[in-house]
Amino acid sequence: MTTYEILLLLDPEQAEARQDDILARAQDLVEKSGGAWQSHDAWGRRRLAYPIAHKEEGVYHLVVFDAEAETLDEISRVLKIDDAVLRHMATRHIAGSRTSAPRDDAAAPVAAPPETAAPEAAEPETAVSEDDEPEYAGAAEEEQPAEEEE
């Protein structure tokens, strides 16, 4: 058995009960196939980087479980045909890793430090050899004798 994790992005307009039904169905599929449900972490409602199906927000859930590959295929098939699932991504869970919800960066915007700002008036530096020829001019410009045509 392999440990997998699935990150679900659900439609925020669906009722809580509908979201719970999706998670319950996935858990039921895992347990009926002999797998073990390890954890469920509700990350909550988050703003999307770009609209998906005309939705600006989504509800995230992370589930971790042990199952066979065939079970994972069946869960992915069920999630693909469900309209309340906007996206899902299944990966192999790395032992010892702990995936947690990303922090909300909107609460504390961070300004870029002044040292990392690029200078506006900086001119690009060019490398020129001492005899004012480009460094690539040399071996490439040696002429090869032309072959005679008969």
Side-chain angles (χ1 to χ4, degrees):
M1 274 216 199
T2 308
T3 304
Y4 296 103
E5 62 183 43
I6 296 180
L7 183 62
L8 294 167
L9 175 58
L10 303 179
D11 187 352
E13 295 174 2
Q14 297 292 323
E16 283 284 324
R18 177 72 179 118
Q19 295 176 15
D20 293 338
D21 288 344
I22 294 168
L23 294 167
R25 182 156 185 204
Q27 184 174 3
D28 188 45
L29 287 169
V30 168
E31 291 173 350
K32 281 187 178 179
S33 69
W37 191 262
Q38 288 188 6
S39 68
H40 166 241
D41 187 15
W43 288 7
R45 187 179 211 131
R46 302 242 172 216
R47 182 158 180 81
L48 302 177
Y50 55 90
I52 298 175
H54 305 288
K55 310 280 193 273
E56 298 288 331
E57 293 183 335
V59 180
Y60 287 87
H61 293 272
L62 179 72
V63 296
V64 180
F65 57 92
D66 294 325
E68 297 294 332
E70 295 80 22
T71 305
L72 180 65
D73 292 341
E74 177 64 16
I75 292 172
S76 291
R77 185 190 71 79
V78 168
L79 293 174
K80 282 179 188 176
I81 62 175
D82 197 330
D83 291 337
V85 179
L86 298 177
R87 294 281 191 275
H88 75 280
M89 183 173 71
T91 59
R92 182 177 290 176
H93 183 73
I94 299 171
S97 71
R98 185 172 109 52
T99 307
S100 60
R103 63 185 178 147
D104 191 9
D105 291 334
V110 178
E115 298 90 35
T116 60
E120 294 178 19
E123 294 181 21
E125 294 182 22
T126 56
V128 178
S129 63
E130 291 180 14
D131 50 340
D132 292 332
E133 288 188 29
E135 291 180 7
Y136 59 85
E141 291 184 358
E142 293 178 12
E143 293 184 23
Q144 299 290 334
E147 293 182 18
E148 295 179 19
E149 293 182 16
E150 292 183 29

